[in-house]
Coordinates of all heavy atoms in Angstrom, one line a residue:
M2 N 64.5 5.6 11.6 CA 65.1 4.5 10.8 C 64.0 4.1 9.8 O 62.8 4.0 10.1 CB 65.5 3.3 11.7 CG 66.3 2.3 10.9 SD 66.9 1.0 11.9 CE 67.8 1.9 13.2
L3 N 64.5 3.9 8.6 CA 63.6 3.6 7.4 C 63.4 2.1 7.3 O 64.3 1.3 7.3 CB 64.2 4.2 6.2 CG 63.4 4.1 4.9 CD1 62.2 5.0 5.0 CD2 64.3 4.5 3.7
V4 N 62.1 1.7 7.1 CA 61.8 0.3 6.7 C 61.1 0.4 5.4 O 60.1 1.1 5.3 CB 61.0 -0.5 7.7 CG1 60.5 -1.8 7.2 CG2 61.7 -0.7 9.0
S5 N 61.7 -0.2 4.4 CA 61.1 -0.2 3.0 C 60.4 -1.5 2.7 O 60.7 -2.6 3.2 CB 62.1 0.0 2.0 OG 62.6 1.3 2.0
S6 N 59.3 -1.4 1.9 CA 58.6 -2.6 1.5 C 58.5 -2.6 -0.1 O 58.2 -1.5 -0.7 CB 57.2 -2.5 2.1 OG 56.3 -3.3 1.4
Y7 N 58.9 -3.7 -0.7 CA 58.9 -3.8 -2.1 C 58.0 -5.0 -2.5 O 58.3 -6.1 -2.0 CB 60.3 -4.1 -2.7 CG 61.4 -3.1 -2.4 CD1 62.0 -3.1 -1.1 CD2 61.8 -2.2 -3.3 CE1 63.1 -2.2 -0.8 CE2 62.8 -1.3 -3.0 CZ 63.4 -1.3 -1.8 OH 64.5 -0.5 -1.5
D8 N 56.9 -4.7 -3.2 CA 56.0 -5.8 -3.4 C 56.0 -6.2 -4.9 O 56.1 -5.4 -5.8 CB 54.5 -5.4 -3.0 CG 53.6 -6.6 -2.9 OD1 53.7 -7.3 -1.9 OD2 52.8 -6.7 -3.8
A9 N 55.7 -7.5 -5.1 CA 55.7 -8.1 -6.5 C 54.5 -7.5 -7.3 O 54.6 -7.4 -8.5 CB 55.7 -9.6 -6.5
T10 N 53.4 -7.1 -6.7 CA 52.3 -6.7 -7.4 C 52.6 -5.5 -8.3 O 52.0 -5.3 -9.3 CB 51.1 -6.4 -6.5 OG1 51.4 -5.4 -5.6 CG2 50.6 -7.7 -5.8
D11 N 53.5 -4.6 -7.8 CA 53.9 -3.5 -8.7 C 55.4 -3.6 -9.0 O 56.1 -2.5 -9.3 CB 53.6 -2.2 -8.0 CG 54.1 -2.0 -6.6 OD1 54.9 -2.9 -6.2 OD2 53.9 -1.0 -6.0
S12 N 56.0 -4.8 -8.9 CA 57.4 -5.0 -9.3 C 58.3 -4.0 -8.5 O 59.1 -3.3 -9.2 CB 57.6 -4.9 -10.8 OG 56.9 -5.8 -11.5
G13 N 58.1 -3.9 -7.2 CA 58.9 -2.9 -6.4 C 60.4 -2.9 -6.7 O 60.9 -4.0 -6.6
F14 N 60.9 -1.8 -6.9 CA 62.4 -1.7 -7.2 C 62.9 -0.3 -6.7 O 62.1 0.5 -6.3 CB 62.6 -1.8 -8.7 CG 62.1 -0.7 -9.5 CD1 63.0 0.3 -10.0 CD2 60.8 -0.6 -9.8 CE1 62.5 1.4 -10.7 CE2 60.3 0.5 -10.6 CZ 61.1 1.5 -11.0
F15 N 64.2 -0.1 -6.9 CA 64.8 1.2 -6.5 C 65.8 1.5 -7.6 O 66.8 0.7 -7.8 CB 65.4 1.2 -5.2 CG 65.6 2.5 -4.5 CD1 65.3 2.6 -3.1 CD2 65.9 3.6 -5.2 CE1 65.5 3.8 -2.4 CE2 66.0 4.8 -4.5 CZ 65.8 4.9 -3.1
D16 N 65.6 2.5 -8.4 CA 66.6 2.8 -9.5 C 67.9 3.2 -8.9 O 68.1 3.5 -7.8 CB 66.0 4.1 -10.3 CG 65.2 3.7 -11.5 OD1 65.4 2.5 -12.0 OD2 64.4 4.5 -11.9
A17 N 68.9 3.1 -9.8 CA 70.3 3.3 -9.4 C 70.5 4.7 -8.9 O 70.0 5.7 -9.4 CB 71.2 3.1 -10.6
H18 N 71.2 4.8 -7.7 CA 71.4 6.1 -7.1 C 72.6 5.9 -6.1 O 73.0 4.8 -5.8 CB 70.2 6.5 -6.3 CG 69.8 5.6 -5.2 ND1 69.2 4.3 -5.4 CD2 70.0 5.7 -3.8 CE1 69.1 3.7 -4.2 NE2 69.6 4.5 -3.3
R19 N 73.0 7.1 -5.6 CA 74.0 7.1 -4.5 C 73.3 7.7 -3.3 O 72.3 8.5 -3.4 CB 75.2 8.0 -4.8 CG 75.9 7.5 -6.1 CD 77.1 8.4 -6.5 NE 77.3 8.3 -7.9 CZ 78.1 7.3 -8.5 NH1 78.6 6.4 -7.7 NH2 78.2 7.3 -9.8
D20 N 73.8 7.4 -2.1 CA 73.0 7.8 -0.9 C 73.5 9.1 -0.2 O 73.1 9.4 0.9 CB 73.0 6.6 0.1 CG 72.1 5.5 -0.3 OD1 71.2 5.7 -1.1 OD2 72.4 4.4 0.1
N21 N 74.5 9.8 -0.8 CA 75.0 11.0 -0.2 C 75.2 12.2 -1.1 O 76.1 13.0 -1.0 CB 76.4 10.6 0.4 CG 77.4 10.3 -0.7 OD1 77.0 10.1 -1.9 ND2 78.7 10.2 -0.4
T22 N 74.2 12.3 -2.0 CA 74.4 13.3 -3.1 C 73.8 14.6 -2.9 O 74.0 15.6 -3.7 CB 73.9 12.7 -4.4 OG1 72.5 12.3 -4.2 CG2 74.7 11.6 -4.9
V23 N 73.0 14.8 -1.8 CA 72.4 16.1 -1.6 C 72.9 16.6 -0.2 O 73.4 15.8 0.6 CB 70.8 16.0 -1.5 CG1 70.3 15.6 -2.9 CG2 70.4 15.1 -0.4
P24 N 72.9 17.9 0.0 CA 73.5 18.5 1.2 C 73.0 17.8 2.5 O 73.8 17.5 3.4 CB 73.1 19.9 1.2 CG 73.0 20.2 -0.3 CD 72.4 19.0 -0.9
S25 N 71.8 17.4 2.6 CA 71.2 16.8 3.8 C 71.7 15.4 4.0 O 71.5 14.9 5.1 CB 69.7 16.9 3.8 OG 69.2 16.1 2.7
S26 N 72.3 14.8 3.0 CA 72.8 13.4 3.2 C 74.3 13.3 3.0 O 74.8 12.2 3.0 CB 72.0 12.5 2.2 OG 72.4 12.8 0.9
A27 N 74.9 14.4 2.7 CA 76.4 14.4 2.4 C 77.2 13.8 3.5 O 78.3 13.3 3.3 CB 76.8 15.8 2.0
H28 N 76.7 13.8 4.7 CA 77.5 13.3 5.9 C 77.5 11.8 6.0 O 78.3 11.2 6.7 CB 76.9 13.9 7.2 CG 75.5 13.5 7.4 ND1 74.5 14.2 6.7 CD2 74.9 12.5 8.1 CE1 73.3 13.6 7.0 NE2 73.6 12.6 7.9
R29 N 76.6 11.1 5.3 CA 76.5 9.7 5.4 C 77.7 9.0 4.9 O 78.3 9.4 3.9 CB 75.3 9.2 4.5 CG 74.0 9.6 5.1 CD 72.9 9.1 4.1 NE 71.6 9.5 4.5 CZ 70.5 9.3 3.7 NH1 70.6 8.9 2.5 NH2 69.3 9.6 4.2
Q30 N 78.1 8.0 5.7 CA 79.3 7.2 5.3 C 79.0 5.8 4.7 O 79.5 5.5 3.7 CB 80.2 7.0 6.6 CG 80.7 8.3 7.2 CD 81.6 9.0 6.3 OE1 82.6 8.4 5.8 NE2 81.4 10.3 6.1
F31 N 78.2 5.0 5.5 CA 77.9 3.7 5.0 C 76.4 3.5 5.1 O 75.7 4.0 6.0 CB 78.6 2.6 5.9 CG 80.1 2.7 5.7 CD1 80.8 3.4 6.6 CD2 80.7 2.0 4.7 CE1 82.2 3.4 6.5 CE2 82.1 2.0 4.5 CZ 82.8 2.8 5.5
A32 N 75.8 2.7 4.1 CA 74.4 2.3 4.1 C 74.4 0.8 4.5 O 75.3 0.0 4.2 CB 73.9 2.4 2.7
V33 N 73.3 0.5 5.3 CA 73.1 -0.8 5.8 C 71.8 -1.3 5.2 O 70.7 -0.6 5.4 CB 73.0 -0.9 7.3 CG1 72.8 -2.3 7.8 CG2 74.3 -0.4 7.9
S34 N 71.8 -2.3 4.4 CA 70.6 -2.9 3.8 C 70.3 -4.3 4.5 O 70.9 -5.3 4.1 CB 70.8 -3.1 2.3 OG 69.7 -3.9 1.7
L35 N 69.4 -4.2 5.5 CA 69.2 -5.4 6.3 C 67.9 -6.0 5.9 O 66.8 -5.4 6.1 CB 69.1 -4.9 7.8 CG 68.6 -5.9 8.9 CD1 69.5 -7.1 8.9 CD2 68.6 -5.2 10.2
N36 N 68.0 -7.2 5.4 CA 66.7 -7.9 4.9 C 66.0 -8.5 6.1 O 66.6 -9.1 7.0 CB 67.1 -9.0 4.0 CG 67.3 -8.5 2.5 OD1 66.8 -7.4 2.2 ND2 68.0 -9.3 1.7
L37 N 64.7 -8.3 6.1 CA 63.9 -8.6 7.3 C 63.1 -9.9 7.1 O 62.5 -10.5 8.1 CB 62.9 -7.5 7.6 CG 63.6 -6.2 8.0 CD1 62.5 -5.1 8.3 CD2 64.5 -6.4 9.2
N38 N 63.0 -10.4 5.9 CA 62.1 -11.6 5.7 C 62.7 -12.5 4.5 O 63.5 -12.0 3.7 CB 60.7 -11.2 5.4 CG 60.5 -10.4 4.1 OD1 61.2 -9.4 3.8 ND2 59.7 -10.9 3.2
E39 N 62.1 -13.7 4.5 CA 62.3 -14.6 3.4 C 61.0 -14.7 2.6 O 60.1 -14.0 2.9 CB 62.7 -16.0 3.9 CG 63.9 -16.0 4.8 CD 65.2 -16.1 4.1 OE1 65.2 -16.0 2.8 OE2 66.3 -16.2 4.8
G40 N 61.0 -15.5 1.6 CA 59.8 -15.8 0.9 C 59.4 -14.8 -0.2 O 58.2 -14.7 -0.6
Y41 N 60.4 -14.2 -0.9 CA 60.2 -13.4 -2.0 C 61.2 -13.7 -3.1 O 62.3 -14.3 -2.7 CB 60.2 -11.9 -1.7 CG 61.5 -11.4 -1.1 CD1 62.5 -11.0 -2.0 CD2 61.8 -11.5 0.3 CE1 63.7 -10.6 -1.5 CE2 63.0 -11.1 0.8 CZ 64.0 -10.6 -0.1 OH 65.2 -10.3 0.4
E42 N 61.0 -13.3 -4.3 CA 61.9 -13.5 -5.4 C 62.3 -12.1 -5.9 O 61.5 -11.2 -5.9 CB 61.3 -14.3 -6.6 CG 60.7 -15.6 -6.2 CD 61.8 -16.7 -5.9 OE1 63.0 -16.5 -6.4 OE2 61.5 -17.6 -5.2
G43 N 63.5 -12.0 -6.4 CA 64.0 -10.7 -6.9 C 64.5 -9.9 -5.7 O 64.8 -10.4 -4.6
G44 N 64.5 -8.5 -5.9 CA 64.9 -7.6 -4.8 C 66.3 -7.6 -4.4 O 66.7 -7.2 -3.4
E45 N 67.2 -8.1 -5.3 CA 68.6 -8.1 -5.1 C 69.2 -6.8 -5.2 O 68.8 -5.9 -6.0 CB 69.3 -9.1 -6.0 CG 68.9 -10.5 -5.9 CD 67.8 -10.9 -6.9 OE1 67.2 -10.0 -7.5 OE2 67.5 -12.1 -7.0
L46 N 70.3 -6.6 -4.5 CA 71.1 -5.3 -4.7 C 72.1 -5.6 -5.8 O 72.6 -6.7 -6.0 CB 71.9 -5.0 -3.4 CG 71.2 -4.2 -2.3 CD1 72.0 -4.3 -1.0 CD2 71.0 -2.8 -2.7
V47 N 72.4 -4.5 -6.5 CA 73.4 -4.6 -7.6 C 74.2 -3.2 -7.6 O 73.6 -2.2 -7.3 CB 72.7 -4.9 -9.0 CG1 71.7 -3.8 -9.4 CG2 73.8 -5.1 -10.0
F48 N 75.4 -3.3 -7.9 CA 76.3 -2.2 -7.9 C 76.8 -2.0 -9.4 O 77.9 -2.6 -9.7 CB 77.5 -2.3 -6.9 CG 77.0 -2.5 -5.5 CD1 76.6 -3.7 -5.0 CD2 76.8 -1.4 -4.7 CE1 76.1 -3.8 -3.7 CE2 76.3 -1.5 -3.4 CZ 76.0 -2.7 -2.9
P49 N 76.1 -1.3 -10.2 CA 76.3 -1.4 -11.7 C 77.7 -1.0 -12.1 O 78.2 -1.4 -13.2 CB 75.3 -0.4 -12.2 CG 74.3 -0.1 -11.1 CD 75.0 -0.4 -9.8
E50 N 78.4 -0.1 -11.3 CA 79.7 0.3 -11.8 C 80.7 -0.9 -11.6 O 81.8 -0.7 -12.2 CB 80.2 1.5 -10.9 CG 79.4 2.7 -11.2 CD 79.6 3.8 -10.2 OE1 79.8 3.5 -9.0 OE2 79.6 5.0 -10.6
F51 N 80.3 -1.9 -10.9 CA 81.2 -3.0 -10.7 C 80.7 -4.3 -11.4 O 81.2 -5.4 -11.0 CB 81.4 -3.2 -9.2 CG 82.1 -2.1 -8.5 CD1 81.4 -1.0 -8.0 CD2 83.5 -2.0 -8.5 CE1 82.0 0.1 -7.4 CE2 84.1 -0.9 -7.9 CZ 83.4 0.1 -7.4
G52 N 79.8 -4.2 -12.2 CA 79.3 -5.4 -12.9 C 77.9 -5.8 -12.6 O 77.2 -5.0 -11.9
Q53 N 77.5 -7.0 -13.0 CA 76.1 -7.4 -12.8 C 75.9 -8.3 -11.7 O 74.8 -8.9 -11.5 CB 75.6 -8.0 -14.1 CG 75.4 -7.0 -15.3 CD 74.6 -5.8 -14.8 OE1 73.4 -5.9 -14.4 NE2 75.2 -4.6 -14.9
Q54 N 76.9 -8.6 -10.9 CA 76.7 -9.5 -9.7 C 75.7 -8.9 -8.8 O 75.6 -7.7 -8.5 CB 78.0 -9.6 -9.0 CG 77.9 -10.6 -7.8 CD 79.3 -10.8 -7.1 OE1 80.3 -10.4 -7.6 NE2 79.2 -11.6 -6.0
T55 N 74.8 -9.8 -8.3 CA 73.7 -9.4 -7.4 C 74.0 -9.9 -6.0 O 74.7 -10.9 -5.8 CB 72.4 -9.8 -7.8 OG1 72.4 -11.3 -7.9 CG2 72.1 -9.3 -9.2
F56 N 73.4 -9.2 -5.0 CA 73.6 -9.5 -3.6 C 72.3 -9.6 -2.9 O 71.5 -8.7 -3.0 CB 74.5 -8.5 -2.9 CG 75.9 -8.3 -3.5 CD1 76.1 -7.5 -4.6 CD2 76.9 -9.1 -3.0 CE1 77.3 -7.4 -5.2 CE2 78.2 -9.0 -3.6 CZ 78.4 -8.1 -4.7
K57 N 72.1 -10.7 -2.2 CA 70.8 -11.0 -1.5 C 71.2 -11.6 -0.1 O 71.4 -12.8 0.0 CB 69.9 -11.9 -2.3 CG 68.5 -12.0 -1.8 CD 67.7 -12.8 -2.7 CE 66.2 -12.7 -2.4 NZ 65.4 -13.4 -3.5
A58 N 71.1 -10.8 0.9 CA 71.4 -11.3 2.3 C 70.2 -12.1 2.7 O 69.0 -11.8 2.4 CB 71.6 -10.1 3.2
P59 N 70.4 -13.1 3.6 CA 69.3 -13.9 4.2 C 68.6 -13.0 5.2 O 69.1 -11.9 5.6 CB 70.0 -15.1 4.8 CG 71.4 -14.5 5.2 CD 71.7 -13.6 4.1
A60 N 67.4 -13.4 5.6 CA 66.7 -12.7 6.6 C 67.5 -12.5 7.8 O 68.1 -13.5 8.3 CB 65.4 -13.4 7.0
G61 N 67.7 -11.3 8.3 CA 68.5 -11.0 9.5 C 70.0 -10.7 9.1 O 70.8 -10.3 9.9
G62 N 70.3 -10.8 7.8 CA 71.6 -10.5 7.3 C 71.6 -9.1 6.6 O 70.5 -8.6 6.2
A63 N 72.7 -8.6 6.4 CA 72.8 -7.2 5.8 C 73.9 -7.1 4.8 O 74.9 -7.8 4.9 CB 73.0 -6.2 6.9
V64 N 73.7 -6.2 3.8 CA 74.8 -5.8 3.0 C 75.2 -4.4 3.4 O 74.3 -3.5 3.5 CB 74.4 -5.8 1.5 CG1 75.5 -5.3 0.6 CG2 74.0 -7.2 1.1
V65 N 76.4 -4.1 3.7 CA 76.9 -2.8 4.1 C 77.8 -2.3 3.1 O 78.7 -3.0 2.6 CB 77.6 -2.9 5.5 CG1 78.1 -1.5 6.0 CG2 76.7 -3.5 6.5
F66 N 77.6 -1.0 2.6 CA 78.4 -0.5 1.5 C 78.5 1.0 1.7 O 77.7 1.7 2.3 CB 77.8 -0.9 0.2 CG 76.3 -0.5 0.0 CD1 76.0 0.7 -0.6 CD2 75.3 -1.3 0.5 CE1 74.6 1.1 -0.7 CE2 74.0 -0.9 0.4 CZ 73.6 0.2 -0.2
S67 N 79.5 1.6 1.0 CA 79.8 3.0 1.1 C 78.6 3.8 0.4 O 78.2 3.4 -0.7 CB 81.1 3.3 0.4 OG 81.2 4.7 0.2
C68 N 78.3 4.9 1.0 CA 77.2 5.7 0.4 C 77.6 6.4 -0.9 O 76.8 6.9 -1.6 CB 76.7 6.8 1.4 SG 75.8 6.0 2.8
T69 N 78.9 6.3 -1.2 CA 79.4 6.9 -2.5 C 79.1 5.9 -3.6 O 79.2 6.4 -4.8 CB 80.9 7.1 -2.4 OG1 81.5 5.9 -2.3 CG2 81.2 8.1 -1.3
L70 N 78.8 4.7 -3.4 CA 78.6 3.7 -4.5 C 77.3 3.8 -5.1 O 76.2 3.8 -4.5 CB 78.8 2.3 -3.9 CG 80.2 1.9 -3.4 CD1 80.3 0.5 -3.0 CD2 81.3 2.2 -4.5
L71 N 77.3 3.7 -6.5 CA 76.0 3.6 -7.2 C 75.4 2.2 -6.9 O 76.1 1.2 -7.1 CB 76.3 3.8 -8.7 CG 75.1 3.9 -9.6 CD1 74.4 5.2 -9.4 CD2 75.6 3.8 -11.1
H72 N 74.1 2.2 -6.6 CA 73.5 0.9 -6.3 C 72.0 1.0 -6.7 O 71.4 2.1 -6.8 CB 73.6 0.6 -4.8 CG 73.1 1.6 -3.9 ND1 73.7 2.8 -3.6 CD2 71.9 1.6 -3.2 CE1 73.0 3.5 -2.8 NE2 71.9 2.8 -2.5
A73 N 71.4 -0.2 -6.9 CA 70.0 -0.3 -7.3 C 69.4 -1.6 -6.6 O 70.2 -2.4 -6.2 CB 69.9 -0.4 -8.8
V74 N 68.1 -1.6 -6.5 CA 67.4 -2.8 -6.1 C 66.6 -3.3 -7.2 O 65.8 -2.6 -7.8 CB 66.5 -2.5 -4.9 CG1 65.7 -3.7 -4.4 CG2 67.3 -1.9 -3.7
Q75 N 66.8 -4.5 -7.6 CA 66.1 -5.1 -8.7 C 64.7 -5.4 -8.4 O 64.3 -5.6 -7.2 CB 66.8 -6.4 -9.2 CG 68.2 -6.1 -9.7 CD 68.9 -7.4 -10.3 OE1 68.6 -8.5 -9.9 NE2 69.7 -7.1 -11.3
P76 N 63.8 -5.5 -9.4 CA 62.4 -5.7 -9.1 C 62.1 -6.9 -8.3 O 62.7 -8.0 -8.6 CB 61.7 -5.7 -10.5 CG 62.7 -5.0 -11.4 CD 64.1 -5.3 -10.8
V77 N 61.2 -6.8 -7.3 CA 60.6 -8.0 -6.7 C 59.6 -8.7 -7.6 O 58.7 -8.0 -8.1 CB 60.0 -7.6 -5.3 CG1 59.2 -8.8 -4.7 CG2 61.1 -7.2 -4.3
T78 N 59.8 -10.0 -7.9 CA 59.0 -10.7 -8.8 C 58.0 -11.6 -8.2 O 57.0 -12.1 -8.9 CB 59.9 -11.4 -9.8 OG1 60.7 -12.3 -9.1 CG2 60.7 -10.5 -10.7
A79 N 58.1 -11.9 -6.9 CA 57.1 -12.7 -6.2 C 57.2 -12.4 -4.7 O 58.3 -12.2 -4.2 CB 57.4 -14.2 -6.4
G80 N 56.1 -12.2 -4.1 CA 56.1 -12.0 -2.6 C 56.4 -10.5 -2.3 O 56.2 -9.6 -3.2
R81 N 56.8 -10.3 -1.1 CA 57.1 -8.9 -0.6 C 58.4 -8.9 0.2 O 58.6 -9.8 1.0 CB 55.9 -8.4 0.2 CG 56.1 -7.0 0.8 CD 55.0 -6.6 1.7 NE 53.7 -6.3 1.0 CZ 53.3 -5.1 0.7 NH1 54.0 -4.0 1.0 NH2 52.1 -5.0 0.1
R82 N 59.2 -8.0 -0.1 CA 60.5 -7.8 0.6 C 60.4 -6.6 1.5 O 60.0 -5.5 1.1 CB 61.6 -7.6 -0.4 CG 62.9 -7.2 0.3 CD 64.1 -6.9 -0.8 NE 65.3 -6.5 -0.1 CZ 65.8 -5.3 -0.2 NH1 65.3 -4.4 -0.9 NH2 67.0 -5.1 0.5
Y83 N 60.8 -6.9 2.8 CA 60.9 -5.8 3.8 C 62.4 -5.6 4.1 O 63.1 -6.6 4.3 CB 60.2 -6.1 5.1 CG 58.7 -6.2 4.9 CD1 58.0 -7.4 4.8 CD2 57.9 -5.0 5.0 CE1 56.6 -7.4 4.6 CE2 56.5 -5.1 4.8 CZ 55.9 -6.3 4.6 OH 54.6 -6.3 4.5
A84 N 62.9 -4.4 4.1 CA 64.3 -4.2 4.4 C 64.4 -3.0 5.4 O 63.7 -2.0 5.2 CB 65.1 -3.9 3.2
C85 N 65.2 -3.1 6.4 CA 65.6 -2.0 7.3 C 66.8 -1.3 6.7 O 67.8 -2.0 6.4 CB 65.8 -2.5 8.7 SG 66.1 -1.3 9.9
L86 N 66.8 0.1 6.7 CA 67.8 0.8 5.9 C 68.5 1.9 6.7 O 68.3 3.1 6.4 CB 67.3 1.3 4.6 CG 66.6 0.1 3.8 CD1 65.6 0.7 2.8 CD2 67.7 -0.6 3.1
P87 N 69.2 1.6 7.8 CA 69.9 2.7 8.5 C 71.1 3.1 7.8 O 71.7 2.4 6.9 CB 70.2 2.0 9.9 CG 70.3 0.6 9.5 CD 69.4 0.3 8.4
F88 N 71.6 4.3 8.1 CA 72.9 4.8 7.6 C 73.8 5.0 8.8 O 73.4 5.3 9.9 CB 72.7 6.1 6.9 CG 71.8 6.0 5.6 CD1 70.5 6.3 5.7 CD2 72.4 5.5 4.5 CE1 69.7 6.1 4.5 CE2 71.6 5.3 3.3 CZ 70.3 5.7 3.4
V89 N 75.1 4.7 8.5 CA 76.1 4.9 9.5 C 76.8 6.2 9.3 O 77.3 6.4 8.2 CB 77.1 3.7 9.5 CG1 78.2 3.9 10.6 CG2 76.4 2.4 9.7
Y90 N 76.8 7.1 10.2 CA 77.3 8.4 10.0 C 78.8 8.5 10.3 O 79.3 7.7 11.0 CB 76.5 9.4 11.0 CG 75.1 9.6 10.5 CD1 74.2 8.5 10.6 CD2 74.7 10.8 10.0 CE1 72.9 8.7 10.2 CE2 73.4 11.0 9.6 CZ 72.5 9.9 9.7 OH 71.2 10.1 9.3
Ligands
LIG137 O1 66.3 -1.7 -0.3 C1 67.5 -1.7 -0.2 O2 68.2 -2.7 0.1 C2 68.3 -0.5 -0.5 C3 67.5 0.8 -0.5 C4 68.3 2.0 -0.8 O3 69.1 2.0 -1.6 C5 68.0 3.2 -0.1 O4 67.0 3.3 0.7 O5 68.7 4.2 -0.3
LIG138 FE1 70.3 3.7 -1.5

């Protein structure tokens, strides 16, 4: 299981992508973006094909979405964000 860390010192972000586009990930159905901490700014999820609304779950909360959806993580502007990122097969 993947735990990612996005730090403000390098404006940690994740460019827009889909999670099932290569043969080794084509079986993935849903992505789980589980936020592990509070105390940071930025780091919201956005789904650009559906507008500019952003999503930020509280610590212990998750955003679950289809691996077919284009998504990105906005830059962290203060503090450090940790997120656990399992996929549902
Ligand atoms: O950090 C996140 O919430 C999402 C990360 C992500 O999109 C990925 O690992 O594929
Ligand atoms: Fe992703």
Side-chain angles (χ1 to χ4, degrees):
M2 191 175 303
L3 186 68
V4 173
S5 288
S6 164
Y7 303 82
D8 196 74
T10 57
D11 58 1
S12 300
F14 68 99
F15 205 142
D16 266 336
H18 64 283
R19 301 177 207 277
D20 288 335
N21 65 350
T22 53
V23 297
S25 61
S26 66
H28 59 282
R29 292 175 177 170
Q30 299 295 313
F31 295 95
V33 180
S34 169
L35 171 59
N36 279 338
L37 299 179
N38 66 304
E39 304 275 6
Y41 62 90
E42 304 288 337
E45 298 91 350
L46 274 167
V47 61
F48 298 87
E50 292 168 322
F51 295 91
Q53 291 308 304
Q54 182 175 354
T55 61
F56 298 88
K57 187 174 193 172
V64 178
V65 182
F66 54 94
S67 169
C68 289
T69 63
L70 294 183
L71 189 69
H72 59 285
V74 179
Q75 296 189 329
V77 169
T78 57
R81 180 183 288 261
R82 170 181 180 246
Y83 293 98
C85 180
L86 303 158
F88 294 100
V89 179
Y90 288 67

